[in-house]
């Protein structure tokens, strides 16, 4: 939760990269009552803040989550019973939909082209919170 909270503050422009160590330490102190002795054992122990071609990996996770929400919405449009199946531990319908509509294409299409090919067409990132809520309710 710590990384997620700070990630969103950073992505929303509410937390500068230079302020990450202080924010990290304050949150760890608040959550578990201790503070790391230095940045190496604090914020820098999480490679996501500083590794990667654009200064970290968070943007890849975020884009993947948004695309996942769009794919799930499209799968539900084709197969509305998927949440019920997930509650029963059955994933075949969703998996087969992913194979047919996503996996088989590999790198043939860009992410945007792939989304445009979905049965529901152009989607919006606002679907992500709805997707996350539906998944947790299904589980």
């Amino acid at each position: 939760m710590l990384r997620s909270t700070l990630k969103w503050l950073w992505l929303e422009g509410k937390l500068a990269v230079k302020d990450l160590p202080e924010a990290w330490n304050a949150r760890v102190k608040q959550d578990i009552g201790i503070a790391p002795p230095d940045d190496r054992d604090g914020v820098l122990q999480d490679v996501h803040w500083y590794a990667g071609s654009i200064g970290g990996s968070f943007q890849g996770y975020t884009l993947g989550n948004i695309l996942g929400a769009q794919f799930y919405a499209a799968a539900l449009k084709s197969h509305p019973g998927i949440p019920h199946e997930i509650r029963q531990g059955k994933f075949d319908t969703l998996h087969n939909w992913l194979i047919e509509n996503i996996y088989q294409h590999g790198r043939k299409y860009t992410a945007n082209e792939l989304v445009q090919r979905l049965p529901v067409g152009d989607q919006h990132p606002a679907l992500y919170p709805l997707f996350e809520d539906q998944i947790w309710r299904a589980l």
Side-chain angles (χ1 to χ4, degrees), residues 6-137:
L6 295 178
K7 170 192 75 170
W8 283 110
L9 290 172
W10 177 47
L11 291 173
E12 291 170 351
K14 297 176 182 175
L15 178 66
V17 172
K18 69 179 180 59
D19 298 326
L20 277 171
E22 182 181 336
W24 181 281
N25 293 345
R27 180 65 189 268
V28 170
K29 180 79 168 168
Q30 173 189 325
D31 289 353
I32 62 173
I34 60 171
D38 53 41
D39 290 344
R40 187 189 74 165
D41 291 320
V43 69
L44 293 179
Q45 60 83 33
D46 189 341
V47 69
H48 296 85
W49 291 118
Y50 60 87
S53 60
I54 311 177
S57 304
F58 289 129
Q59 62 276 11
Y61 292 141
T62 301
L63 291 173
N65 289 335
I66 291 169
L67 288 170
Q70 294 175 354
F71 299 159
Y72 187 70
L76 287 181
K77 194 143 193 117
S78 298
H79 304 282
I82 287 175
H84 177 71
E85 293 177 12
I86 290 173
R87 282 191 293 275
Q88 294 178 338
K90 299 176 182 174
F91 298 91
D92 290 345
T93 302
L94 177 58
H95 188 234
N96 289 332
W97 185 91
L98 288 166
I99 290 168
E100 182 180 323
N101 292 280
I102 308 298
Y103 302 157
Q104 75 168 331
H105 300 301
R107 293 183 62 176
K108 182 176 179 181
Y109 301 108
T110 66
N112 191 47
E113 291 168 336
L114 194 56
V115 169
Q116 294 298 321
R117 295 177 53 83
L118 296 177
V120 293
D122 194 19
Q123 294 293 314
H124 191 274
L127 281 175
Y128 177 65
L130 299 173
F131 160 76
E132 189 173 56
D133 183 58
Q134 288 175 0
I135 288 294
W136 286 112
R137 277 190 278 129

